[in-house]
Amino acid sequence: MREADQDTTPEPPPPAARRAQRLMLLGAGHACLGLAVLGAVLPLLPTTIFLILAAWCFGRASPALRQRLLAHPRFGQALRAWEEHGAVSARGKRAAVLAMALSWTLLTLLLRDPLASGLAGACMIGVAAYLLTRPSPPPGDGQAATPER
């Protein structure tokens, strides 16, 4: 038999492997959601990236949970803007950069370790540069309802 005649389509994983993968993704999604909740109150921990990761995990393991995140009155709009356009609102950018600056200041004052401060600062500058280069959501996405200052 020639190679062209052979079916090269990979076989789907057995049901037990699919179940294990689903459980791992659900666990990771819930862990990310928990970290996002902590990030909403702790200055050194981000919120949005954990929400994005939770939505990704839930999208593969439980579409219903993903839809609940996307429909959330507080965070759903930002998640949808990110998924659809890779966009972050100007308000979100300002809040993130301010939170990183405050976190770096606290870290520097509390640890008094130049190496830790420098490494954290370099990481935060990189994240801020990436964040600030993201587009803003297009008009009409609901995020432009209030004027940006």
Side-chain angles (χ1 to χ4, degrees), residues 91-106:
R91 180 179 179 197
K93 291 175 191 178
R94 283 193 306 268
V97 170
L98 179 62
M100 284 187 279
L102 289 173
S103 296
W104 179 81
T105 302
L106 281 173

Side-chain angles (χ1 to χ4, degrees), residues 61-81:
S62 173
L65 287 175
R66 180 178 177 277
Q67 282 307 115
R68 282 183 65 188
L69 269 182
L70 293 176
H72 190 275
R74 173 79 173 108
F75 301 113
Q77 204 169 34
L79 287 170
R80 288 189 306 273

Side-chain angles (χ1 to χ4, degrees), residues 33-81:
L33 192 56
L35 288 170
V37 169
L38 285 175
V41 294
L42 296 176
L44 292 174
L45 196 61
T47 301
T48 307
I49 188 64
F50 290 119
L51 287 173
I52 291 169
L53 289 170
W56 182 86
C57 290
F58 290 150
R60 278 137 188 84
S62 173
L65 287 175
R66 180 178 177 277
Q67 282 307 115
R68 282 183 65 188
L69 269 182
L70 293 176
H72 190 275
R74 173 79 173 108
F75 301 113
Q77 204 169 34
L79 287 170
R80 288 189 306 273

Side-chain angles (χ1 to χ4, degrees), residues 81 85-91 93 133-139 141 148:
H85 308 289
V88 180
S89 70
R91 180 179 179 197
K93 291 175 191 178
T133 61
R134 301 302 94 207
S136 293
D141 264 9
E148 300 289 346

Side-chain angles (χ1 to χ4, degrees), residues 22-39:
R22 182 175 185 271
L23 288 174
M24 286 191 320
L25 285 168
L26 283 172
H30 282 96
C32 288
L33 192 56
L35 288 170
V37 169
L38 285 175

